[in-house]
Amino acid sequence: KVAPMNVASGDAPLHFGIRFANRQTGWVFGSGIYATNDGGLTWSKTGAVGEVFDMATIGDSSWAITGCAPRISLCARDLLIWDSGTGNWRAAVPQPPVTSGPFRIIRATAQRAFISQETEMDTRLVRTEDGGVTWRRLSIPCRGFAGMPVATLDGVHLWMVCAGGMGAGQQLKDVYT
């Protein structure tokens, strides 16, 4: 059994999930991160603390991002990198230029990754081409109220959904590539 994960209340976005690097090594995340090295037979708490919004794995390289939604409270955010040698998470240096969640990580390759900040009034998309050594903020077509879901198959062509004005989810959406 794994300790309870964070289930958001009200209209706050859910942020918990499970990822595996291979058949034996995996993580469950939400309120912290729990790891398995035996294919899920046992789970143990890792050194990661806080609310984990998302995690992405490429081969044996895994990243996770913590934070909180700004309407809930102000808190620190961290991009964490899994150190398979020590079995712990460490903060990335430098940190990407994002401020508050919800966040999503897309890793196209070990070197190219995107982080989308899907905050209601401050949507951002940042990219690294060198495994997180440098980050660049990209211009995005989304403006106004809602964050944007982002997807890519090749790490070059991105798809993004932008919501119109306030509408409790019923507003028109635009899809960009």
Side-chain angles (χ1 to χ4, degrees):
K1 268 189 170 185
V2 177
M5 296 284 101
N6 181 33
V7 177
S9 61
D11 62 351
L14 298 175
H15 51 277
F16 59 90
I18 187 166
R19 303 285 187 275
F20 273 81
N22 53 52
R23 295 177 77 100
Q24 297 298 309
T25 306
W27 303 271
V28 173
F29 62 91
S31 294
I33 301 175
Y34 294 80
T36 183
N37 290 311
D38 57 15
L41 294 175
T42 61
W43 295 88
S44 59
K45 190 170 179 127
T46 68
V49 296
E51 301 302 320
V52 180
F53 275 97
D54 201 12
M55 182 182 289
T57 300
I58 295 284
D60 288 336
S61 173
S62 295
W63 294 1
I65 191 160
T66 66
C68 63
R71 66 182 149 183
I72 297 170
S73 64
L74 293 176
C75 65
R77 59 89 188 101
D78 278 311
L79 176 63
L80 304 173
I81 298 173
W82 176 252
D83 184 333
S84 58
T86 65
N88 287 308
W89 294 92
R90 63 174 171 78
V93 177
Q95 288 288 310
V98 292
T99 57
S100 60
F103 300 109
R104 296 288 169 245
I105 302 174
I106 300 171
R107 292 192 65 201
T109 67
Q111 298 299 309
R112 180 178 295 142
F114 300 86
I115 295 178
S116 64
Q117 174 179 307
E118 299 172 1
T119 306
E120 290 176 356
M121 300 306 268
D122 186 15
T123 56
R124 295 182 187 195
L125 182 64
V126 298
R127 175 183 67 206
T128 183
E129 296 284 336
D130 54 17
V133 174
T134 60
W135 290 90
R136 180 175 165 217
R137 188 169 173 183
L138 305 175
S139 66
I140 57 172
C142 300
R143 299 285 177 249
F145 179 69
M148 73 282 175
V150 178
T152 184
L153 288 174
D154 59 9
V156 176
H157 301 92
L158 293 176
W159 292 86
M160 181 179 301
V161 177
C162 299
M166 292 185 189
Q170 300 301 312
Q171 70 273 53
L172 293 176
K173 314 292 189 292
D174 293 309
V175 178
Y176 295 90
T177 186

